[in-house]
């Protein structure tokens, strides 16, 4: 049995308590400063209000000020915050982490430096930790199709734990793996994380299709926009492969669970898709986000980072102006709030250009 601390009691961090509890581990769920009501509800009812499910008895809730107590004898730490809270989490974990602890993160996103070079979020998480400890902690992340409600309901789920230390990944996989929570491992840390971030952007794009039908007042038509969605999904797949190549990832990484698998499940629903639908219907991004109550939109945030990075990478000659046409247009629509005008003919190398394997 292992002692595991989860920092962040949102739906995904809390859902991960299910396989851990099923495996008999001691799970300590710590809320952030935004989670006080969640922790209070769990303490009083045993039910997580976001998941609508009772948490196992092995899961003990803690408020943020009890984080140090929760860390007593902890072997594994789960950073359960979203991409907006990663640096905050790193700052709170920094004084508590010990050499040889294992840290695994769930946030999906990316950052970029002034030159447009991409940085994965586990690096951002580790930054506030002293170099002496940082180099001895084993860092990892969870990628792949993983809807929190389905994990909490113990639905069959297949995910990838990625990191640089094979032995650490194997131990983490054995800690979490159950008969329904299936875990593969990959040492393509950067590639898997970049794919996990990019898929949120491209899932938002898929949402534009339903919005286009509404804008054309054809939402009730039996003829849907699946052709539109499929073309975007295919172009997104091509661009994820290009992102992977750009960061030196393995060719296969975008083509399985960290890439197309995760993009598929994210494209089927959620906040990124809903805001895409509103934008497709004719709203500017700010108005669309406001209509949804300004929720956390990791896809939109990542579009701003990827798109901003493309500007700098193009200026440096690392990529050409013809590369990544879908991500570039998403950046125009989301970050710059320009009208949606999908650049179909620029996809797949250009409509009037012979494509390898065609004809």
């Amino acid at each position: 049995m292992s002692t595991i601390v989860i920092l962040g009691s949102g739906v995904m961090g809390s859902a991960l308590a299910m396989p851990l509890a099923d495996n008999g581990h001691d799970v300590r769920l710590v809320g952030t400063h935004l989670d006080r009501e969640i922790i209070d509800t769990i303490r009083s009812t045993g039910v997580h209000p976001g998941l609508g499910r009772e948490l196992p008895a092995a899961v003990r809730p803690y408020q943020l000020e009890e984080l140090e107590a929760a860390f007593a004898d902890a072997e594994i730490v789960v950073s359960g915050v979203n991409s907006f809270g990663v640096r905050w989490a790193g700052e709170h974990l920094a004084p508590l982490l010990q050499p040889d602890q294992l840290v695994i993160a769930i946030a999906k996103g990316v950052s970029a430096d002034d030159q447009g070079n991409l940085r994965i979020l586990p690096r951002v998480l580790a930054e506030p930790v002293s170099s002496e400890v940082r180099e001895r902690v084993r860092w990892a992340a969870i990628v792949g199709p993983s809807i929190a409600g389905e994990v909490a309901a113990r639905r069959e789920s297949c995910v990838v734990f990625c990191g640089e230390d094979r032995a650490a990944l194997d131990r983490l996989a054995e800690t979490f793996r159950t008969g329904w929570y299936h875990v593969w491992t990959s040492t393509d840390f950067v590639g898997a994380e970049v794919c996990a971030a990019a898929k949120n952007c491209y899932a938002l794009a898929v949402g534009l299709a339903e919005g286009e039908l509404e804008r054309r007042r054809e939402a009730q038509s039996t003829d849907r926009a699946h052709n539109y969605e499929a073309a975007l999904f295919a172009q997104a797949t091509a661009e994820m492969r290009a992102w992977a190549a750009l960061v030196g990832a393995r060719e296969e990484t975008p083509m399985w669970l960290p890439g197309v698998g995760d993009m598929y499940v994210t494209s089927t629903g959620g906040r990124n898709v809903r805001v895409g639908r509103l934008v497709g219907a004719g709203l500017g991004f700010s108005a669309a986000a406001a209509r949804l109550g300004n929720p956390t939109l990791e896809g939109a945030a990542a579009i701003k980072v990827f798109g901003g990075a493309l500007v700098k990478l193009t200026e440096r000659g690392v990529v050409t102006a013809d590369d990544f046409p879908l991500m570039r247009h998403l950046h125009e629509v989301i970050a710059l709030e320009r009208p949606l005008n999908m650049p179909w003919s620029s996809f797949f190398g250009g409509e009037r250009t012979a494509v390898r394997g065609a004809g």
Side-chain angles (χ1 to χ4, degrees), residues 304-359:
K304 295 176 182 179
V305 176
F306 277 112
L310 281 174
V311 172
K312 296 169 183 175
L313 293 171
T314 304
E315 290 172 350
R316 291 170 53 202
V318 177
V319 300
T320 74
D322 294 329
D323 293 328
F324 303 97
L326 178 52
M327 186 66 81
R328 289 180 190 274
H329 190 55
L330 289 173
H331 184 252
E332 291 175 351
V333 172
I334 300 302
L336 307 180
E337 303 222 23
R338 294 175 182 167
L340 175 64
N341 184 21
M342 194 62 67
W344 298 108
S345 293
S346 66
F347 291 172
F348 313 115
E351 187 172 9
R352 298 183 183 278
T353 303
V355 179
R356 185 179 300 172

Side-chain angles (χ1 to χ4, degrees), residues 208-219 223-225 280:
L208 297 170
E210 284 292 313
E212 284 271 15
L213 288 178
E214 293 180 10
R215 184 179 61 80
R216 298 173 186 177
R217 298 181 181 176
E218 297 176 3
D223 299 312
R224 308 311 296 158

Side-chain angles (χ1 to χ4, degrees), residues 18 29 38-49 51-57 59 61:
M18 299 299 193
L29 181 64
I38 294 174
I39 296 300
D40 284 342
T41 300
I42 294 170
R43 282 178 166 172
S44 61
T45 69
V47 174
H48 189 287
L51 294 169
R53 292 183 179 275
E54 186 173 355
L55 296 182
V59 181

